[in-house]
Amino acid sequence: MDARGVDDLTRDEARTEVEALTSRILELRDAYYARDTVLEDDATYDALVRRLELIEHAFPELQSQDSPTQTVGGVAETTLFAPVEHAERMLSLDNVFSAEEFAEWAAKVERDAGRSVRWLCELKIDGLALNLRYERGQLVTAATRGDGRVGEDVTQNVLRVAGIPTRLAGDPDELPDLVEVRGEVFIPKAAFDELNALQREAGEREFANPRNAASGSLRQKAEGKNDEQLARMRDRLSRLRMLVHGIGAWPNPPVTAQSEVYGLLERWGLPISSHFRVHDSATDAAEYIAFHGEHRHAVEHEIDGVVVKVDELALHGELGATSRAPRWAIAYKYPPEQVNTTLLDIVVSVGRTGRATPFAVMEKVRVAGSEVRQATLHNQDVVKAKGVLIGDTVVLRKAGDVIPEVLGPVVELRDGTEREFVMPTNCPECGTELRPAKEGDIDLRCPNARSCPAQVRGRVEHIGSRGALDIEGLGEISAAALTQPLVPDAPPLVTEAALFDLTVEQLLPIEVIVRDAETGLPKLDDDGEAKRRSPFRRVEQRYGPEAAGLDAGELRARGIRKQAVTVPSALATQLLDELEKAKTKPLWRLLVSLNIRHVGPVAARALADWFGSLEAIRAASLDELAAVDGVGAIIAEAVQEWFAVDWHVEIVERWAAAGVQFTTPGHAGPGAAAAAGGVLAGLTVVATGSLEGFTREGAQEAIIAAGGKAASSVSKKTDFVAAGPGAGSKLAKAEELGVRIIDAAQFAVLVREGPDALGLDEGATS
């Protein structure tokens, strides 16, 4: 990140930095929201976003529609569960990291309010945000935050979380017709330790922290699991808890303060925290923050700070919100905990994108609630800047209480046996010479993207992830087995091109070293040896045909013994079945699975919805790609660059030859409907809520097939809003702007016959 002030940048320099910042922020968001992986601490992430905001403010023409400053940060288009549109937006919180920053923020709030305010302080739970929707007291849906407007429907899993009522307590006549309750799902510290012990016993990957455990437990599906897997899934869900902290949608709540909201929620039978307090001054609030910073480990769940809110609800409306966060609340993030340990070695790992990253391998130590023995050192310049030597006693912390970070050495403890780290010149996985991706880059990368085993492993694991093709059986260990096996000598997959050609015969002989998903380094057993596994084969003891018709006594008398027979495991059968199913999965999932830089679920859906086929996407110009709502110039360039590589094209051709369908059935294609005089040519339609006869994707495809634009937000340029049950803020926005509103039956007529068939007057609503 450029250390200069924004005013010192030329326009070209600003454009270059905006592209770099956008790329990095999108990468961090994808890791955090799609893969439950944290690559940078909160302070670093926030600094990147702040820098981008400053540059966009100075150069507003550089702010694109795909800028991270314009969105909350989650994935709008859900991938694992059905989408749920919140009746009111779920916002994130802005952060402060010092007493001075908090004092400045509180003073600004009081200036904007025109008077002194009371402050509600509550512990910031390190968990997963959840929205509970109750209609006439009955729980209807439970959904994750997603992008703040659309989240994932996790209702069935939430029903197994203790303490969440399916019906609110109290007089049914006094309960609101509709109310959304917001809170945080987490796993208590004791339950987290128990869960990881069970993961170790089962030979499964341990959770890095309680937040990952909560997210991973809540966002899992029962489909495809056997009885044992279902039992473990239910056990994990039973360990979760939730504390609610606010109300989203409710037109006229009978309370005037946030602190009163908590009393109301408790009377309804909802679980609330006992740790909140209301203070009359910012000074008292600061004392609350300081106290819990010193006693943070005394709480039953992990916390990473304190949330401070204006208690008076009327001021919430007056102070308002930005596109991402309310102006009446802030999160104070605590500095992370620090311990000392020994730096045993520095090893270099190569990731999915080819980046060569030095990792500190340390003597195992417990910090911020979990045991740590590896931490990223980012690149060779960071190693030099920290001044660490192999053999040093180093200071370790968990940045944001999540990511292990080596701060530096304890120099006075050196005894002369320490040695300097030397960055390798060649890739440790394939031997290719490392180099920067472009001039001026600090990071070194392995340019052998096609066949570097580490990069292929990472891409194959990504293909199986829930954000891509969501293939049961294609995870961390399976990906390593297919690309970097100990046995056989030649891996089944040299690139991902042959993925859909795999056979049982290729899977059975595989033996593999189990690797850490983040670092790519071998996992070690208690003796310090690399863990080995044969994930796809099972050895059974069977009698041969000569034993037919003989009882046990005759078998013994004749000396006939069982023979060891290697048979496919359930995982092998499941993987091949899942790969077959994946051939007809939606186009947007296939786009994500191609590992095109920046093309996550949101951009992939936008491209798939507009173009309808991979062939049309390949044929589109840069301007045509960038013009798609939700794409923009940076993603458009990445798409074109990807298709310009010959071995990328080979992947598409091999997959297509294996039966993978790169088209959306019934899609008319970009411009095809308009050229044929599509009934919605030139019109923009927004579909929201549950439209009878249409899935969410089906409604969008119907709009596009009729030649219209399927927009994701309502504006003055919107021609129609098709609204069904569950329609929330989009419906309200349409009413505010006077946009024509139609129901499901009218929508069916609209996409089939066009607007004239509705018989609506200009500006009329249903």
Side-chain angles (χ1 to χ4, degrees):
M1 186 168 61
D2 198 322
R4 292 180 297 164
V6 171
D7 293 340
D8 297 329
L9 298 177
T10 67
R11 189 178 186 281
D12 287 344
E13 289 173 335
R15 178 187 295 278
T16 299
E17 190 172 351
V18 163
E19 291 176 355
L21 287 166
T22 299
S23 174
R24 182 58 176 162
I25 294 168
L26 291 175
E27 180 182 2
L28 296 177
R29 285 186 175 182
D30 176 65
Y32 186 81
Y33 289 102
R35 304 196 301 275
D36 293 325
T37 301
V38 185
L39 301 181
E40 293 283 10
D41 60 90
D42 287 345
T44 302
Y45 176 84
D46 289 334
L48 294 173
V49 175
R50 288 174 190 164
R51 177 73 175 179
L52 183 56
E53 288 174 338
L54 288 172
I55 297 176
E56 288 180 345
H57 181 73
F59 299 90
E61 70 276 12
L62 299 181
Q63 185 181 77
S64 64
Q65 61 178 311
D66 59 351
S67 172
T69 63
Q70 303 303 299
T71 58
V72 169
V75 177
E77 304 296 348
T78 59
T79 59
L80 183 62
F81 298 93
V84 173
E85 186 171 353
H86 308 308
E88 293 292 339
R89 279 193 306 162
M90 291 183 72
L91 299 175
S92 295
L93 290 174
D94 286 333
N95 301 316
V96 293
F97 297 91
S98 69
E100 292 75 20
E101 287 184 359
F102 171 70
E104 290 174 7
W105 174 82
K108 184 180 185 304
V109 169
E110 293 195 326
R111 285 197 305 271
D112 292 343
R115 62 182 186 275
S116 61
V117 302
R118 301 182 77 214
W119 307 97
L120 182 140
C121 301
E122 60 191 7
L123 301 183
K124 187 177 184 300
I125 302 169
D126 192 14
L128 181 72
L130 195 69
N131 183 68
L132 305 176
R133 181 187 179 105
Y134 289 90
E135 294 181 5
R136 292 174 293 281
Q138 182 70 39
L139 178 65
V140 177
T141 58
T144 61
R145 178 167 55 196
D147 70 346
R149 295 186 181 277
V150 178
E152 292 176 316
D153 187 345
V154 291
T155 309
Q156 292 305 310
N157 285 348
V158 164
L159 294 176
R160 295 187 175 275
V161 177
I164 299 179
T166 56
R167 175 168 289 280
L168 299 179
D171 187 341
D173 294 334
E174 296 179 0
L175 294 173
D177 289 338
L178 167 67
V179 64
E180 286 186 340
V181 177
R182 275 77 189 269
E184 203 83 6
V185 172
F186 62 95
I187 183 166
K189 293 175 183 177
F192 174 69
D193 291 338
E194 292 172 359
L195 179 58
N196 264 349
L198 292 174
Q199 292 290 102
R200 286 193 296 274
E201 289 175 12
E204 298 289 341
R205 177 182 175 187
E206 293 180 43
F207 292 102
N209 53 68
R211 186 207 172 275
N212 280 25
S215 178
S217 298
L218 191 64
R219 299 173 71 241
Q220 55 184 329
K221 59 180 181 179
E223 181 184 350
K225 285 183 167 56
N226 57 37
D227 290 345
E228 181 182 352
Q229 291 169 327
L230 283 173
R232 289 180 58 200
M233 170 182 165
R234 291 164 182 161
D235 176 69
R236 284 168 58 181
L237 289 169
S238 70
R239 296 174 187 275
L240 299 181
R241 296 295 181 267
M242 182 181 184
L243 292 177
V244 299
H245 53 58
I247 290 177
W250 190 8
N252 298 297
V255 289
T256 60
Q258 177 70 30
S259 51
E260 296 175 9
V261 168
Y262 288 163
L264 181 61
L265 294 173
E266 189 174 27
R267 290 195 295 275
W268 282 348
L270 289 158
I272 66 169
S273 174
S274 61
H275 299 292
F276 76 90
R277 297 290 184 273
V278 178
H279 297 286
D280 293 327
S281 71
T283 301
D284 291 342
E287 290 178 359
Y288 174 98
I289 293 170
F291 174 84
H292 284 285
E294 295 175 2
H295 299 84
R296 59 201 292 185
H297 297 302
V299 185
E300 65 275 12
H301 52 74
E302 292 289 347
I303 65 171
D304 59 358
V306 166
V307 175
V308 181
K309 304 175 182 176
V310 172
D311 193 38
E312 186 181 344
L313 293 181
L315 279 178
H316 292 190
E318 293 180 25
L319 293 168
T322 66
S323 61
R324 296 183 298 116
R327 293 189 176 92
W328 43 265
I330 201 76
Y332 185 106
K333 292 293 190 72
Y334 287 135
E337 182 179 61
Q338 300 180 6
V339 296
N340 287 0
T341 188
T342 302
L343 179 62
L344 303 175
D345 200 0
I346 297 177
V347 297
V348 173
S349 171
V350 175
R352 174 167 64 111
T353 63
R355 177 183 291 164
T357 305
F359 275 87
V361 179
M362 298 163 291
E363 189 172 312
K364 187 163 60 176
V365 64
R366 190 169 185 83
V367 56
S370 63
E371 292 183 338
V372 173
R373 64 179 175 188
Q374 293 176 347
T376 180
L377 289 169
H378 301 286
N379 56 57
Q380 68 273 26
D381 284 8
V382 171
V383 177
K384 291 179 182 178
K386 291 181 181 293
V388 292
L389 301 177
I390 297 170
D392 267 336
T393 297
V394 294
V395 181
L396 178 72
R397 72 173 183 178
K398 272 196 173 181
D401 283 348
V402 174
I403 310 170
E405 178 186 5
V406 174
L407 293 181
V410 184
V411 177
E412 57 270 24
L413 295 181
R414 286 177 175 167
D415 60 12
T417 61
E418 299 79 14
R419 68 186 193 277
E420 187 176 352
F421 165 71
V422 179
M423 185 72 179
T425 57
N426 295 83
C427 174
E429 299 278 1
C430 69
T432 304
E433 184 178 356
L434 300 173
R435 61 172 185 255
K438 58 184 178 181
E439 187 177 352
D441 278 1
I442 298 173
D443 292 327
L444 296 179
R445 294 178 184 269
C446 172
N448 181 23
R450 180 186 185 278
S451 53
C452 175
Q455 296 183 61
V456 180
R457 182 191 72 238
R459 294 198 301 268
V460 170
E461 184 178 349
H462 172 74
I463 290 169
S465 67
R466 62 170 171 258
L469 288 180
D470 191 20
I471 297 173
E472 287 285 341
L474 188 57
E476 171 189 340
I477 295 174
S478 299
L482 294 170
T483 58
Q484 293 180 290
L486 289 172
V487 178
D489 293 334
L493 298 181
V494 178
T495 76
E496 57 268 47
L499 178 63
F500 289 94
D501 297 321
L502 288 172
T503 64
V504 170
E505 290 72 25
Q506 288 176 294
L507 301 181
L508 285 186
I510 294 177
E511 184 178 354
V512 66
I513 289 177
V514 180
R515 295 175 179 268
D516 183 89
E518 180 185 357
T519 67
L521 302 175
K523 288 187 175 181
L524 305 179
D525 58 24
D526 293 338
D527 297 326
E529 298 294 325
K531 293 183 179 179
R532 298 186 175 201
R533 187 172 297 183
S534 299
F536 299 119
R537 69 178 178 182
R538 183 173 66 243
V539 176
E540 291 188 353
Q541 299 294 321
R542 299 179 183 175
Y543 289 108
E546 70 276 13
L550 301 180
D551 60 26
E554 291 172 316
L555 291 172
R556 286 194 297 271
R558 298 186 185 188
I560 298 176
R561 299 180 181 278
K562 289 183 177 179
Q563 301 170 2
V565 181
T566 301
V567 297
S569 66
L571 179 61
T573 304
Q574 180 187 51
L575 174 59
L576 295 178
D577 289 345
E578 286 284 313
L579 284 170
E580 188 63 31
K581 294 176 186 176
K583 293 178 181 179
T584 55
K585 287 198 173 180
L587 175 60
W588 70 265
R589 285 191 176 274
L590 291 164
L591 284 172
V592 175
S593 73
L594 291 176
N595 282 279
I596 303 172
R597 189 170 172 81
H598 304 320
V599 178
V602 176
R605 278 188 184 272
L607 289 166
D609 288 346
W610 179 252
F611 290 101
S613 72
L614 192 66
E615 182 180 358
I617 294 171
R618 283 185 66 181
S621 69
L622 186 66
D623 289 342
E624 288 171 333
L625 291 169
V628 175
D629 187 26
V631 178
I634 293 175
I635 296 175
E637 289 176 5
V639 171
Q640 288 208 328
E641 288 171 0
W642 192 89
F643 281 109
V645 178
D646 56 359
W647 65 270
H648 290 167
V649 176
E650 179 192 1
I651 293 170
V652 173
E653 292 174 346
R654 289 282 299 273
W655 286 14
V660 174
Q661 298 179 17
F662 286 107
T663 60
T664 299
H667 197 293
V679 295
L680 294 184
L683 298 180
T684 298
V685 182
V686 173
T688 181
S690 299
L691 296 172
E692 187 176 354
F694 297 89
T695 63
R696 179 184 176 83
E697 291 81 4
Q700 294 175 337
E701 289 167 6
I703 295 166
I704 295 169
K709 177 182 178 182
S712 58
S713 59
V714 180
S715 70
K716 293 180 179 179
K717 296 181 180 179
T718 305
D719 296 288
F720 290 92
V721 169
S729 57
K730 292 180 185 178
L731 176 59
K733 186 71 172 179
E735 292 171 342
E736 176 187 336
L737 296 176
V739 175
R740 285 173 286 188
I741 301 167
I742 57 176
D743 58 22
Q746 291 171 312
F747 176 70
V749 174
L750 177 70
V751 296
R752 186 174 64 248
E753 304 177 37
D756 292 342
L758 295 178
L760 294 175
D761 295 331
E762 185 72 24
T765 61
S766 63

